[in-house]
Amino acid sequence: MHISLLKVTTLFYLVGALLYLYFIITLHERGARLGRMFLLIGVILHAAGFVARYFAAGYTPITNLFESLSFFAMAIVGVFLLTELRYNLRILGSFIAPLAFVFSIFAAFLPGEVARLAPALNSYWLPVHVILLFIGDAVFAIAFGAGIMYLLQEKEVKRKRLGAIFKRLPSLEVLDEINYKSLTIGFPLLTLGIITGSIWAEYAWGSYWSWDPKETWSLITWLLYAALLHGRLTVGWRGRKAAILAILGFCAVLFTFLGVNLLLPGLHTYSSLSG
Amino acid sequence: MGSIVIVGLNHRSAPVEIRERLAFPADTIGHALRGLVEREGIAEGVILSTCNRVEVCVLADESYKGTKAVKEFLSSHHGIPLPEVNEYLYHHEGEQAVKHLFRVSSSLDSMVLGEPQILGQVKDAYGYAAEFRTIGPILEKFFTKAFSVAKRVRTETKVASSAVSVSYAAVELARKIFGSLKDKTVMLIGAGEMCELAARHLLSAGVKGIMVTNRTFERAVKLAEEFDGMPVRFDELLSHLKMADIILSSTGAPHFILSRPEVEEVIRIRKNRPMFFIDMAVPRDVDPDANQIDNVYVYDIDDLNNVIETNIEERQKEAARAEEIVAAEVLGFSRWLEAQQVTPTIVMLRKKFEEVKNAEVAKAVAMLGAEDPKAKRVVEALASAILNKVLHPPIAALKKDPEGRNLMELVATVREIFDLPTSGPQSPPAGQPKEGERVE
C-alpha cells in the first residue's frame, strides 16, 4: 500500500509542475493556484505513505536510494510550500516543482520493496542524521531555484532588454533575500547533519571521520556554503556572486547525494542503485 | 425604443483649440445633461468630457434625427455655430456606437494606448447621468457592459501591463531591482523636468527620503523644499552618494560627473547594496561602464526610451487581441439591444391588428343581427383565424435567430409597412406585454 502511495505522489508532483509551468507561460493565476493545490495534496499523501512505510518496515524509511530520493522530493515540496506561504512567490514554483518531480520520478523507477535493514543502520541516529541533512538540502534547493531566477533576472536588467523574463520574475532584492534566508536555515541543518553523522560513525564504525567519499564531499559542500555565508556576513557578497555560489553549492549537494552513491563506492553504499 | 447614437470629437479628430471650446466642465454638466434630454427624440443621455475627448451618447428615437439633435445641442449649448465645428465631429450609430464606447472604455482609442484613466472618466460620466437622472434602462445596461468589457480587456490582455513613459519605466525598473521602495533613498542631481517627474513618481511609490544637489546650492535648497527632501552641496555629492539607492541625474555637465572607479568605491563602502543610476543627462553624467559593476545598474535616456518603445510595441500587439474581445462583446450586446426592439414591435403589431379585427367583428355582428350568439362566435373565429394566419409569417420572421441578418432594418421595415409608431409605447426593457396582450 505504502509503495503505491509513495509512487502515486509522483503524478501529483507532475501535474503540479505542469500547472506551474503553465502559469509562468500564460501568467494565469489559476495555474499557480491549482499547482499549489496539487503539490499540497501530493505532499500530504507522501507524508501518509512515509508513515505507513515506517510502520510496515519497522524503521525510518530513508535507507536506500528509492526511499531517500522519495523523501528528498517530499522535503523539497514541503519547504517550497512554506517559502511560498512566506513570500507569496508563486513563480518560484515553476522552478522548484519540476525539480521535485525529477527526484520523484527517479525514485518511482526504482524497486520500492522493503528490504531487511542493514545492521549498521539500525540506530536512532539514522532518522536524526538523514532527516536533518535532507531538509537542509531541500532548503538549499530553494536557494538554487532562487539563484537561477536571480541570474536570469539580473541578465535581463543589465542587458536592458526587458522582456518576458523581466515581467515574470520577482525583484532582485527578494531573490537575494531568499538566498540569504535559505543559507541561514540550510547551513545550520547541514552542519548538525554532519556532526550527528560523525557521532554516529564513532558508534558504528569506531571513528568520527574516515574520509569516506560521502564524508569528503559533504565537507566540500559545507565549505562552499560556509564560504558563501562568511562572504555575505563580512564583505557583503550578495546578488550575482551569492546566486552563483548557491547554484554551485546545490550541485555539490547533488553530487554528495547521488554522484557519490552511484559512482564512488565507500562506507555509505546502502543507497546505491543495487542497494 | 430607439437607437444608440454617439457624437463626439477626440485628439485625432480635433485640435485642442476646438476640444476646449466644446468641453463640458464638471460644474456645468448637470445643466447640459438636462438640456440634452429635453430635446425632441432623445430619451436618455450621457456626456463624457476629458481633455482628450468629448463624447455625447444618447438613446434616440431614430438614429439620423438623433445625430442631428446632438449636434444642434452641442452647437447651441456652447454657443458656437454648427458649421464651425461640424468637420471635427464624428458620429456613430447603432452597432458602431456600441463598438466605439467599448473601445473608448477599454482605452483602445486613447492617445496613449492602454492608459488607465479613461475608464474612471467614463465611470464619472455615467455617475453624472445617474445623478441627474438622464440615464434610462438601455444606456444603463450599455455603460455597465462597457465597464465589464474594459475589465475583461485589462485582465485578459497585456494592453496596460508595462510602463510607456520614461519616468514610469524608471519606477518599474527600480521595483524590479529593489522590490519594495519603502526603505530606499533617492538622490536627485541637477534639475531636469524628467528627473523631477521621476522623483515625484518614486515619492508616490513610497521611497523613504530624497536628497537634492545642484551646482548652485540655492536651487538645491529650493527643490529640496518642494520635495520635502534634504539639500546637499554639490562638492559633497560623493560623500553622500553612499546613502543613495536610486540616483536621478540630469546636469548640464559636459563630461561624466561620476566615473566608474568612483562608483566602484561607493558600492564597496555600501557593502554591495545595489545602486540604480538613472542618467537623463545629454551628454551623460554617469560613466556607462559602471553598469558592468556587480549590483550597479546604469540606465541612460536612450536605454529608457528603448524600454518604453518595446513596451509600446507589445501594447500594440496586445491591442489586436483586445479588439477581438471588443468585437465579441459588441455582437453580444447588439443581440440584446435588438431583442429590446423586437418584442415591443411584435406587441404593437398584434395590438394594431386586434383593434382592426375587433372593430370589423363588431360591425359584422351588428349587420347579422345582434341577438344571435352563434353567428357572433363564427364571425369571431373566422376573423381570429385570418388574423393569426396572416400575422404568423411576419412575427416568425421577427423572432427568427438574427444570425447574419440586420434585425434593426427588419424592425424598421415592419414598423414602416404596418404604419406602427416609431417611438411606440415606452415598454419596459424586458419587453413585457401590456394590458393582457399575448406575445406569441
Side-chain angles (χ1 to χ4, degrees):
Chain A
M1 199 281 263
H2 49 87
I3 300 177
S4 40
L5 202 53
L6 288 177
K7 290 192 174 177
V8 84
T9 55
T10 303
L11 215 61
F12 280 88
Y13 296 157
L14 171 65
V15 176
L18 289 176
L19 283 164
Y20 270 107
L21 290 177
Y22 167 81
F23 170 61
I24 199 173
I25 293 165
T26 63
L27 289 179
H28 287 173
E29 296 288 325
R30 208 183 318 154
R33 242 181 297 134
L34 282 174
R36 182 175 48 200
M37 211 177 74
F38 270 90
L39 290 190
L40 190 63
I41 296 171
V43 87
I44 289 170
L45 290 178
H46 204 151
F50 182 79
V51 171
R53 192 178 174 92
Y54 172 83
F55 285 114
Y59 56 83
T60 317
I62 30 179
T63 58
N64 61 24
L65 195 57
F66 163 73
E67 290 172 344
S68 38
L69 273 169
S70 176
F71 185 80
F72 192 32
M74 178 169 78
I76 291 177
V77 173
V79 171
F80 161 69
L81 288 173
L82 290 175
T83 313
E84 203 201 17
L85 204 66
R86 166 78 177 75
Y87 289 95
N88 192 25
L89 213 64
R90 288 158 306 180
I91 287 289
L92 187 62
S94 314
F95 292 78
I96 297 298
L99 190 69
F101 166 70
V102 166
F103 292 120
S104 182
I105 188 97
F106 191 176
F109 278 112
L110 293 172
E113 284 72 36
V114 175
R116 223 150 38 91
L117 187 63
L121 292 180
N122 191 1
S123 160
Y124 288 117
W125 288 106
L126 169 73
V128 178
H129 168 62
V130 182
I131 289 176
L132 278 174
L133 283 173
F134 273 127
I135 293 179
D137 288 354
V139 174
F140 288 139
I142 301 293
F144 168 74
I148 289 179
M149 288 161 79
Y150 186 96
L151 291 186
L152 289 172
Q153 181 70 296
E154 196 228 26
K155 192 172 163 213
E156 199 87 343
V157 178
K158 284 275 190 195
R159 271 168 63 240
K160 304 176 182 179
R161 259 184 246 129
L162 313 180
I165 292 175
F166 178 79
K167 208 158 295 155
R168 283 169 173 74
L169 296 191
S171 68
L172 293 171
E173 186 133 315
V174 165
L175 292 171
D176 192 55
E177 193 187 325
I178 290 175
N179 177 296
Y180 180 61
K181 285 277 158 63
S182 309
L183 200 59
T184 55
I185 296 168
F187 188 71
L189 288 172
L190 175 65
T191 311
L192 282 174
I194 292 177
I195 292 173
T196 52
S198 164
I199 297 171
W200 185 18
E202 163 67 14
Y203 282 114
W205 302 327
S207 154
Y208 286 107
W209 195 268
S210 31
W211 297 105
D212 153 72
K214 186 133 262 171
E215 291 173 359
T216 312
W217 276 94
S218 300
L219 185 64
I220 293 171
T221 309
W222 186 87
L223 285 173
L224 267 170
Y225 284 114
L228 174 54
L229 191 61
H230 178 79
R232 281 205 83 109
L233 294 176
T234 55
V235 278
W237 280 2
R238 57 189 293 153
R240 186 182 162 73
K241 216 175 266 176
I244 291 173
L245 271 170
I247 292 168
L248 286 179
F250 190 67
C251 291
V253 163
L254 285 187
F255 190 79
T256 310
F257 174 26
L258 297 173
V260 171
N261 285 1
L262 304 178
L263 304 175
L264 305 172
L267 291 169
H268 278 85
T269 35
Y270 319 106
S271 46
S272 67
L273 272 177
S274 50
Chain B
M1 301 313 293
S3 168
I4 293 177
V5 172
I6 294 178
V7 176
L9 72 171
N10 63 18
H11 54 278
R12 277 189 301 274
S13 78
V16 64
E17 302 84 56
I18 301 295
R19 297 205 304 273
E20 64 193 8
R21 286 175 71 194
L22 288 177
F24 294 87
D27 52 337
T28 68
I29 218 152
H31 174 68
L33 279 167
R34 266 189 234 104
L36 176 64
V37 292
E38 270 165 22
R39 288 188 174 256
E40 207 195 313
I42 291 181
E44 305 176 23
V46 178
I47 297 174
L48 166 70
S49 178
T50 77
C51 53
N52 275 335
R53 64 176 69 244
V54 174
E55 310 269 357
V56 180
C57 176
V58 298
L59 182 69
D61 296 342
E62 254 183 281
S63 50
Y64 173 69
K65 285 186 195 153
T67 302
K68 203 164 151 250
V70 173
K71 284 188 174 180
E72 279 163 13
F73 158 77
L74 278 170
S75 145
S76 74
H77 181 87
H78 293 288
I80 305 165
L82 189 54
E84 244 178 73
V85 291
N86 199 21
E87 58 174 309
Y88 301 108
L89 296 174
Y90 50 74
H91 59 93
H92 300 289
E93 296 161 3
E95 207 168 297
Q96 286 306 310
V98 174
K99 184 178 172 192
H100 182 69
L101 183 70
F102 286 2
R103 291 187 75 245
V104 168
S105 319
S106 311
S107 194
L108 296 174
D109 196 47
S110 298
M111 187 149 81
V112 177
L113 184 66
E115 59 91 10
Q117 283 97 342
I118 184 67
L119 180 59
Q121 290 161 338
V122 177
K123 282 185 175 164
D124 288 346
Y126 167 83
Y128 285 125
E131 187 185 335
F132 294 100
R133 296 173 190 285
T134 62
I135 196 164
I138 299 288
L139 289 193
E140 161 105 42
K141 176 96 179 180
F142 182 31
F143 274 74
T144 319
K145 192 74 203 169
F147 303 150
S148 78
V149 173
K151 194 176 167 216
R152 256 194 84 188
V153 166
R154 191 153 292 259
T155 52
E156 291 177 26
T157 76
K158 283 174 265 172
V159 101
S161 66
S162 40
V164 289
S165 77
V166 166
S167 45
Y168 269 118
V171 175
E172 196 183 66
L173 268 161
R175 281 191 202 280
K176 281 290 181 181
I177 294 169
F178 297 109
S180 162
L181 300 177
K182 290 266 177 291
D183 54 346
K184 299 296 178 285
T185 303
V186 176
M187 165 80 88
L188 183 60
I189 308 173
E193 201 183 318
M194 259 193 290
C195 270
E196 287 177 31
L197 197 60
R200 260 178 244 286
H201 285 327
L202 285 167
L203 278 172
S204 56
V207 294
K208 189 177 70 181
I210 187 161
M211 292 181 284
V212 183
T213 184
N214 200 294
R215 274 197 202 281
T216 43
F217 188 61
E218 291 73 39
R219 287 200 64 182
V221 173
K222 223 181 116 215
L223 211 56
E225 256 168 41
E226 212 176 297
F227 286 117
D228 202 13
M230 182 178 97
V232 171
R233 288 186 187 282
F234 197 76
D235 48 7
E236 288 169 0
L237 167 64
L238 269 180
S239 60
H240 282 79
L241 208 55
K242 62 174 185 287
M243 292 183 275
D245 303 288
I246 301 164
I247 298 91
L248 287 161
S249 186
S250 63
T251 72
H255 47 75
F256 299 145
I257 58 168
L258 288 168
S259 68
R260 178 173 172 164
E262 280 168 335
V263 177
E264 268 168 350
E265 176 63 14
V266 173
I267 202 84
R268 197 185 55 77
I269 296 171
R270 283 171 59 86
K271 282 200 165 183
N272 292 318
R273 272 182 299 124
M275 294 179 90
F276 178 28
F277 291 87
I278 303 159
D279 184 357
M280 303 220 192
V282 180
R284 287 175 292 185
D285 284 341
V286 184
D287 185 348
D289 274 356
N291 189 47
Q292 281 152 27
I293 307 169
D294 267 0
N295 302 306
V296 173
Y297 306 91
V298 182
Y299 273 66
D300 63 33
I301 188 72
D302 275 10
D303 298 330
L304 291 171
N305 277 328
N306 286 338
V307 167
I308 62 175
E309 228 164 82
T310 7
N311 289 353
I312 288 170
E313 275 167 29
E314 197 198 58
R315 278 192 182 197
Q316 274 156 355
K317 261 186 250 150
E318 288 297 313
R321 290 184 47 216
E323 296 283 3
E324 281 169 25
I325 293 177
V326 166
E329 295 279 0
V330 167
L331 200 67
F333 185 76
S334 299
R335 288 275 170 80
W336 178 83
L337 204 57
E338 282 162 359
Q340 303 312 299
Q341 312 272 341
V342 169
T343 318
T345 304
I346 293 172
V347 170
M348 281 190 286
L349 194 61
R350 278 209 78 91
K351 190 176 174 207
K352 179 162 180 128
F353 278 80
E354 288 283 345
E355 279 167 9
V356 173
K357 183 198 85 176
N358 289 342
E360 295 302 321
V361 166
K363 254 195 255 167
V365 169
M367 276 192 273
L368 283 170
E371 299 311 314
D372 189 350
K374 196 185 169 199
K376 191 182 172 192
R377 267 206 312 279
V378 170
V379 172
E380 277 252 357
L382 171 75
S384 292
I386 292 174
L387 183 63
N388 283 338
K389 289 210 164 108
V390 167
L391 275 185
H392 180 71
I395 289 178
L398 281 169
K399 282 184 165 179
K400 214 168 77 184
D401 184 12
E403 190 75 60
R405 299 180 306 152
N406 190 340
L407 201 55
M408 302 305 278
E409 225 166 69
L410 184 65
V411 166
T413 311
V414 168
R415 287 182 179 204
E416 196 183 330
I417 60 180
F418 291 112
D419 190 27
L420 303 173
T422 43
S423 54
Q426 278 294 322
S427 52
Q432 306 241 305
K434 293 166 127 189
E435 295 154 11
E437 282 168 348
R438 232 156 36 86
V439 182
E440 288 180 1

